[in-house]
Amino acid sequence: MKRIFLILLGVFLLLQFFPIDRSNPPVKSEIQTSAEIKEILKRSCYDCHSNETVWPAYSYIFPASLLISHHVEEGREELNFSEFGLLAEKKQNKKIYEIWEQVDEGEMPPKDYLLLHPNSKLSDKDKEILKQWSDRFSEESE
């Protein structure tokens, strides 16, 4: 039993030396919106949906490093506020409306993210601000 534990510990320690991509590419064309909306997005969304990810200390420890890196990669692929301005206007409008849909359905920010980042939780006021913002784009996105 002791031998198995030591082997597993050795593998765990060895895996710490395999680098995981935690890069932040340059911001190309950030979303243009009010300071109020931008503050909400930066606080609750930017870690996974921008090129301005703040990589916490636990993102350097395997297996969390692998999971977080993958989560950020998927988030950026779906919606990247650091490249938002490169999208066609109709696509931007659709994405803005989809932001509200995700928030309204309780999908964003994800519950597991909120466990470690409680100040990312959207207040009722934040949600109302995002709803009003997205409502301006709902008809244009259809």
Side-chain angles (χ1 to χ4, degrees), residues 12-69:
F12 176 78
L13 292 173
L14 184 63
L15 289 172
Q16 304 309 312
F17 293 101
F18 287 92
I20 301 294
D21 182 21
R22 284 179 292 275
S23 63
N24 280 332
V27 174
K28 293 181 182 174
S29 185
E30 192 168 31
I31 187 169
Q32 299 301 310
T33 189
S34 71
E36 183 177 44
I37 296 292
K38 180 93 54 123
E39 186 278 322
I40 294 169
L41 297 176
K42 281 189 179 242
R43 179 173 34 86
S44 298
C45 311
Y46 265 48
D47 272 349
C48 294
H49 295 284
S50 80
N51 295 345
E52 300 177 50
T53 303
V54 176
W55 298 97
Y58 59 84
S59 72
Y60 291 83
I61 301 169
F62 185 88
S65 60
L66 190 61
L67 295 171
I68 293 166
S69 177

